[in-house]
Amino acid sequence: MASTVSVVQRVQSVNPATGEVLAEFDPARPAEVQATVARAREASRAWQQLDVGERARYVLRIKEALYRRRHEVAALITREAGKPRVEAVVGEVMVALDTLEYFAHHGAEFLAPQPVPHHNLAVRFKRGRLMYEPHGVIGIISPSNYPLNIPFGEMAPALVAGNTVVLKPSEFTPQIGLEIRDLCEAAGLPSGVVNVLVGDGSTGGALVDSAIDKLIFTGSVPTGKRIQTLAAERLLPTVLELGGKDPMIVCADADLETASSGAVWGAFTNAGQACLSVERLYVARSVADHFTELCVDKTRRLRLGTGDDPSTDVGPLIRPRQVAIVEDHVTDALAKGAQVLTGGRRPDLPGFFYEPTILGVNHSMKVMRQETFGPVLPILAVESEEEAVAFANDSEFGLSASVWTRDSSRGDRLARQLHAGAVMVNDCISYFGVCEAPHGGIKASGIGRSRSRLGLHEMVRVKYVDVDLVPQLPKLWWFKYGAKAKNMMDGFLEFLFAPTVTRRMLGSLKMIVSIGRKL
Ligand code: NAD
């Protein structure tokens, strides 16, 4: 009988600007995943015993280690994820440093027990409070597009809150994942508190299936759905930060110079591989021609190249499969009548590049409906604000959106009408760098929130503790029941809720008489 040999694909670190294989790793298998989670569980016992200030000091030491290695880390991000160096420094290292510091500084405040005052007379002699307790072991599965700032954005609150962490970085950025592990080691974190498992989707699947207490997943909608199905089997709590198709609305009164620069940056930063990228643009017809010309002109001036060349504005995509999706969306758009205003092809470069592309489109095209996650800016002229909002909301996604106008009340009105987890007025994407801002989507863009106080609260279980300050006081709702008890409670209800003062007074009389009889 022929034996079956299972060939496990190695995880490759590849420079997307050249296609060169930089390193190869064996993916962690299920047994290693289970053992790592067991180690994290063991480490969590002592980690939880530290007070929040001590844990915060460790997190600050990670920040210091990252700061010391900032140049090497930025260079690695450019090499393995293809980002221009400025984006590696600002969008990754700076955001990660800021996030680590933010949670270290605010953890104690956000985790302090919260008093819960009671308004009902019947329970006035009790004191309630909310206590925040760590889940235990948090699993983090992260994507390739922000391989440093996303994991740290989730690890920092997890650690401060008293959890240990098992991180599975993207299979496209394994070296950055291992750098995160090394930074935590350099910070002197106790063994087992931060664990990094290099691997692909099967490693991620094994982590979902392991004994972790909560999963924080960031990635695509299809993977998120698969994970949620698996997690449902054992009611594993999850946060899902998924894909987007973020609309940008440019009103007729917008500052078109600023809005066009914003649109070009929002669509092409990180070669369009940001969950918050401007993926579709609706512009008022009266200014559409001029606005589009500005966008096209600014896009033609972008320099495509390798991220280590300081003059590069736009780098490569992460893998050929991502270039293929971009090509498919552009081909579909052309078949449905789109105009290519600039770009629209792969350049003659060795890596996984696609030219920054602007398309004149209609709403039926894939490039307006599905996440492209590449350097394509489709522009559609609209007749009115209402039409812009209707198009923007006609999407399965709801991550973020932006509105560009000089009129703050219009900005506010449109922000309220848009179906999204966040709306920026006169900027795009950059709220992700605001530590105080919660991040997360609605509809298919996800469940739960990361970053901010709300992100920290995803890392804890809320326990309500209630203390009776005068336990000797009889509880009128305890046994024994009967006609008197019923009369008393009827009176109490009337006293609390009857619509007129007179009826409330009568209710209180009825209650007092019945109390006397019941006691
Ligand atoms: P992806 O879904 O292909 O992979 C994400 C991670 O999931 C990787 O680590 C991968 O190994 C792992 N994975 C794959 N299959 C798995 C499985 N069956 N079980 C468990 N883990 C599995 O996403 P990607 O291509 O790396 O990232 C791009 C996507 O992520 C885009 O859709 C983008 O919008 C989204 N994203 C969302 C946010 C956000 O905050 N909402 C941020 C960044 C990226």
Side-chain angles (χ1 to χ4, degrees), residues 109-149:
E109 171 199 339
F110 294 163
L111 294 167
Q114 296 290 306
V116 180
H118 300 342
H119 78 279
N120 190 318
L121 264 187
V123 287
R124 274 290 167 84
F125 294 102
K126 294 169 178 298
R127 288 287 173 276
R129 65 184 194 279
L130 300 180
M131 312 274 289
Y132 302 114
E133 298 181 346
H135 288 277
V137 181
I138 300 274
I140 296 175
I141 298 179
S142 53
S144 57
N145 59 335
Y146 287 91
L148 189 84
N149 96 28

Side-chain angles (χ1 to χ4, degrees), residues 397-401 418-423 431 438-443 445 449:
F397 299 97
L399 194 52
S400 87
L418 286 165
H419 301 166
V423 179
Y431 86 89
H439 174 66
I442 61 168
K443 301 198 270 185
S445 289
R449 290 295 178 267

Side-chain angles (χ1 to χ4, degrees), residues 87-100:
E87 291 181 3
V89 171
V90 178
E92 296 271 14
V93 177
M94 191 187 85
V95 175
L97 288 170
D98 198 33
T99 310
L100 288 160

